[in-house]
Amino acid sequence: MHPLLTRQLKRLGLEQAAAPASLEAWQQLLERVSRSYVESDQGRELLERSIDLSAKEMQELNEQLRRTSESRLTEERDKLQTVLRSMGDGLCVVDRNWDIVLLNPEGQRLWGLTEAEVVGRRLPDMISLSYGTNLTEPIFTQMLLDETAQGHSFRTDDGILTSITGRSFPVSCVLAPIERDSQAAGAVLVFRDTSERKQAEDVRRHTEHLLRQHQAALFGLTSNSIIQSGVLEPALKEITRVTAATLGVARCSIWLLREDHRAITCKDLYDVSADIHSSGVELLAEHFPGYFRELLTERVIDASDARTDPRTSEFTDDYLTPLGIGAMLDIPIRFKGKLVGVLCNEHVGSPRSWMLEEQQFSYAIASLVALALEAVERLSAEGALRKSEGRTRLIIDTALSSVISMDEQGRITGWNTQAEQTFGWTRQEVVGRLMAETIIPPAQREAHRRGLKQFFQTGEGPIVNKRIEITALRPDGTEFPIELAVTPLRLENAYSFTAFVVDISERKQAEEALRTSEARLMMTVQGSHIGIWDWNLATDTVYFSPQWKNQIGYD
């Protein structure tokens, strides 16, 4: 029985094995069956319409997805092409047979070939790539090709690439496989021209070598005792010799500027080829006004082409051309804050550009010349000081007064010959001893210490800058009268004291004898009852004795 008929019988409450009992039941059954067929046809039609609509929608969706995917794929492909063609590195793509399928513009530039000339040709036939210390081992060997085919990459930063055009240059490169379904489908070669980097490294190494040379030369000169000897000629000879050897110039000279700035005089010129030193040449400003004008600006004169440079071209006919000088490097020499001369480095041959490191080295050499000049001045000052000190010592040692020096701690630092005779101490015995314990009597020592302390506090003292009479002490403990004058002197943040001492024992004895004589005379005059008067012509004073006054009735 058809499933639809079975369902309709069930809805009417009829059994499948028993027929309807009445005509009405049959009519209901038939109506039900008819409606069921109609409903079934309608459902089938609706289903067919739904399926047809869904199929169209799916087709449209699939088409839309396809178009979107192709658009995105095209966009991504364009982006990739743009990136590949705008890369700063060369890029080459090969298939599994090492046939070139792409070469970007940078790669074309480096190889000297267009993409059309290389696409479809084998990579090993177009370039040779080598690496290693001797740069002779080729990269594109069968073993390397096999390694890349197995998914292994290769990298080197020290390779040499040579194309079939003959172009050759250092490269840093990476050769990496392209894998598809776990199998090698090709390879990508990315390479970069490292010529500029190599040149920069060479320049850096050359600069480091120059700096080491400059440092060694400066260390040798600064540690050379000749430079600080104070004798100018040998110092300048050593400076010009070392400078010429370090800079690799044919001639190096040192010139000093006259006070009126109208001339410079050569103090030393070293000629490397002849290995001789000379001096004495004078250049006048009126003959070379342009050079002197530039020199007085105290700027470096780095004439890479000395014959055409306006700062040095005045020397061309008489100096540069006859000697074959092509470049000059002149550095001003300053001493005590002013321009005093010039250091001149002369290169014989073609023009030469002066490196910044060479200019800095020359500035350091100019400073050494200033140190040599300072040493000369210092030596002269020391000589003058020694002469002055010699004269001072001679004056002090031949002085009739005792001259004694003392430092802030109260220790004796100076003791002349007269002091030895006056006090009985030798210089060797007293220098370094405390003044208070050497020549000052015990009763006066405390006053001496108080006076010294007062001076340090106030700048004044009871005996400073005064002439007084006081007693002094000899080694045997005896005391004797002296006349004393003390003068303080501040030197290098410290005080020193100089005492001028005169033994007045004989004068005191004479004064005492005179007083005794006068007393005796007075007693004699008074006892003799004789009138006496005295007229001192030097002072225009008159003395009348009492007896004389009594005799003439003068009160």
Side-chain angles (χ1 to χ4, degrees):
M1 184 177 292
H2 195 278
L4 290 176
L5 183 59
T6 302
R7 282 200 301 272
Q8 296 303 322
L9 291 175
K10 187 174 181 182
R11 289 178 180 177
L12 295 173
L14 298 176
E15 298 292 336
Q16 296 182 12
S22 64
L23 180 60
E24 183 181 357
W26 276 106
Q27 187 177 358
Q28 291 177 355
L29 174 62
L30 291 176
E31 289 177 358
R32 289 266 185 178
V33 171
S34 177
R35 283 198 302 270
S36 295
Y37 279 110
V38 172
E39 292 174 357
S40 177
D41 290 339
Q42 291 176 346
R44 184 175 64 254
E45 183 180 359
L46 181 60
L47 179 60
E48 288 176 354
R49 288 180 181 177
S50 298
I51 292 174
D52 185 52
L53 181 60
S54 298
K56 288 182 179 179
E57 291 177 350
M58 289 297 295
Q59 288 176 357
E60 291 177 356
L61 181 60
N62 286 336
E63 181 65 20
Q64 183 179 359
L65 289 175
R66 185 185 65 78
R67 287 196 300 267
T68 303
S69 298
E70 288 180 354
S71 176
R72 290 182 178 178
L73 181 61
T74 301
E75 183 180 348
E76 293 299 325
R77 184 173 61 250
D78 291 343
K79 288 181 180 179
L80 179 60
Q81 289 288 343
T82 302
V83 171
L84 295 179
R85 296 188 182 281
S86 62
M87 284 179 60
D89 296 336
L91 182 138
C92 179
V93 181
V94 298
D95 61 16
R96 61 185 305 166
N97 298 318
W98 294 93
D99 292 334
I100 298 173
V101 296
L102 183 146
L103 181 65
N104 74 341
E106 179 65 12
Q108 297 173 44
R109 186 186 69 81
L110 293 176
W111 289 8
L113 296 166
T114 65
E115 189 174 30
E117 291 175 320
V118 299
V119 169
R121 302 183 65 176
R122 298 188 76 246
L123 180 63
D125 296 337
M126 304 306 296
I127 63 171
S128 171
L129 192 59
S130 56
Y131 75 101
T133 55
N134 54 9
L135 299 176
T136 57
E137 181 180 351
I139 290 181
F140 296 126
T141 62
Q142 187 60 43
M143 181 182 70
L144 184 58
L145 299 181
D146 293 342
E147 287 283 326
T148 306
Q150 295 175 11
H152 300 154
S153 298
F154 173 82
R155 179 185 182 92
T156 180
D157 293 324
D158 195 20
I160 295 292
L161 188 149
T162 304
S163 74
I164 60 172
T165 61
R167 298 190 63 182
S168 182
F169 51 91
V171 293
S172 171
C173 66
V174 176
L175 181 64
I178 300 174
E179 295 185 0
R180 186 178 299 129
D181 299 330
S182 301
Q183 293 184 353
V188 176
L189 175 65
V190 181
F191 51 96
R192 176 181 297 174
D193 184 357
T194 58
S195 299
E196 292 184 359
R197 191 191 72 187
K198 294 288 185 182
Q199 292 174 357
E201 291 177 351
D202 291 342
V203 171
R204 179 181 56 80
R205 284 192 292 268
H206 178 63
T207 301
E208 290 177 351
H209 176 67
L210 284 180
L211 291 176
R212 283 193 293 269
Q213 282 187 322
H214 296 171
Q215 184 179 17
L218 290 174
F219 178 78
L221 287 173
T222 54
S223 59
N224 193 328
S225 59
I226 295 178
I227 308 300
Q228 297 290 336
S229 66
V231 184
L232 189 60
E233 182 178 350
L236 297 186
K237 285 184 177 181
E238 182 66 10
I239 290 174
T240 54
R241 183 190 66 80
V242 173
T243 302
T246 305
L247 291 179
V249 295
R251 296 159 64 88
C252 178
S253 55
I254 295 172
W255 303 70
L256 294 185
L257 184 66
R258 213 162 66 185
E259 285 291 337
D260 59 7
H261 292 180
R262 294 183 179 180
I264 54 175
T265 303
C266 180
K267 290 300 181 180
D268 186 78
L269 185 150
Y270 178 60
D271 189 325
V272 176
S273 60
D275 191 24
I276 59 173
H277 293 267
S278 60
S279 62
V281 177
E282 187 176 67
L283 299 180
L284 300 178
E286 60 185 80
H287 296 158
F288 308 99
Y291 177 79
F292 271 80
R293 188 164 49 250
E294 185 66 24
L295 176 62
L296 294 178
T297 65
E298 301 187 25
R299 292 192 296 260
V300 60
I301 301 176
D302 52 341
S304 56
D305 189 345
R307 302 178 192 181
T308 61
D309 193 303
R311 298 171 295 181
T312 56
S313 58
E314 295 171 330
F315 299 112
T316 301
D317 295 336
D318 298 331
Y319 188 69
L320 301 179
T321 300
L323 295 175
I325 296 172
M328 292 175 62
L329 177 62
D330 289 9
I331 304 294
I333 300 172
R334 293 178 56 83
F335 180 55
K336 290 186 175 181
K338 64 179 182 179
L339 179 69
V340 297
V342 61
L343 168 70
C344 183
N345 299 299
E346 299 168 347
H347 169 73
V348 171
S350 58
R352 167 180 172 175
S353 296
W354 300 101
M355 298 176 62
L356 179 61
E357 291 77 12
E358 293 173 328
Q359 297 182 34
Q360 291 173 339
F361 172 74
S362 297
Y363 268 113
I365 293 298
S367 298
L368 283 179
V369 175
L371 287 177
L373 294 175
E374 182 181 0
V376 171
E377 189 175 275
R378 185 180 65 249
L379 183 64
S380 176
E382 290 174 351
L385 179 61
R386 283 193 296 270
K387 290 181 180 179
S388 175
E389 289 177 343
R391 286 194 297 268
T392 302
R393 281 196 299 270
L394 180 61
I395 292 172
I396 291 175
D397 285 341
T398 57
L400 298 178
S401 300
S402 299
V403 182
I404 304 171
S405 298
M406 181 187 75
D407 61 17
E408 283 187 341
Q409 285 71 41
R411 297 188 179 277
I412 298 173
T413 58
W415 190 267
N416 74 340
T417 303
Q418 186 61 39
E420 292 181 343
Q421 298 175 2
T422 300
F423 290 92
W425 293 92
T426 65
R427 174 181 172 82
Q428 290 75 16
E429 291 174 328
V430 298
V431 170
R433 289 174 59 94
L434 289 172
M435 177 82 76
E437 298 177 357
T438 306
I439 64 173
I440 298 178
Q444 300 174 10
R445 290 174 183 173
E446 184 59 32
H448 165 75
R449 295 188 184 96
R450 287 198 307 271
L452 196 60
K453 181 179 180 181
Q454 178 185 347
F455 176 81
F456 290 140
Q457 291 176 346
T458 65
E460 298 180 356
I463 65 172
V464 173
N465 295 321
K466 299 176 183 177
R467 185 178 296 275
I468 64 172
E469 293 183 1
I470 196 171
T471 57
L473 186 68
R474 288 194 173 96
D476 59 3
T478 59
E479 298 182 13
F480 64 100
I482 61 171
E483 186 178 73
L484 173 67
V486 179
T487 302
L489 179 64
R490 188 170 182 83
L491 295 173
E492 298 180 355
N493 299 322
Y495 276 103
S496 67
F497 302 88
T498 301
F500 299 88
V501 179
V502 177
D503 183 356
I504 58 174
S505 298
E506 293 182 357
R507 191 182 75 187
K508 288 293 184 181
Q509 292 173 358
E511 290 175 352
E512 182 63 27
L514 178 58
R515 285 193 295 271
T516 302
S517 176
E518 289 177 346
R520 288 176 179 174
L521 177 59
M522 185 62 65
M523 291 176 61
T524 301
V525 171
Q526 292 176 355
S528 63
H529 303 286
I530 298 175
I532 297 175
W533 67 276
D534 179 70
W535 182 14
N536 190 331
L537 297 177
T539 61
D540 196 27
T541 58
V542 180
Y543 168 77
F544 298 98
S545 69
Q547 289 80 1
W548 188 88
K549 293 179 180 179
N550 289 333
Q551 290 176 1
I552 64 174
Y554 180 79
D555 293 334

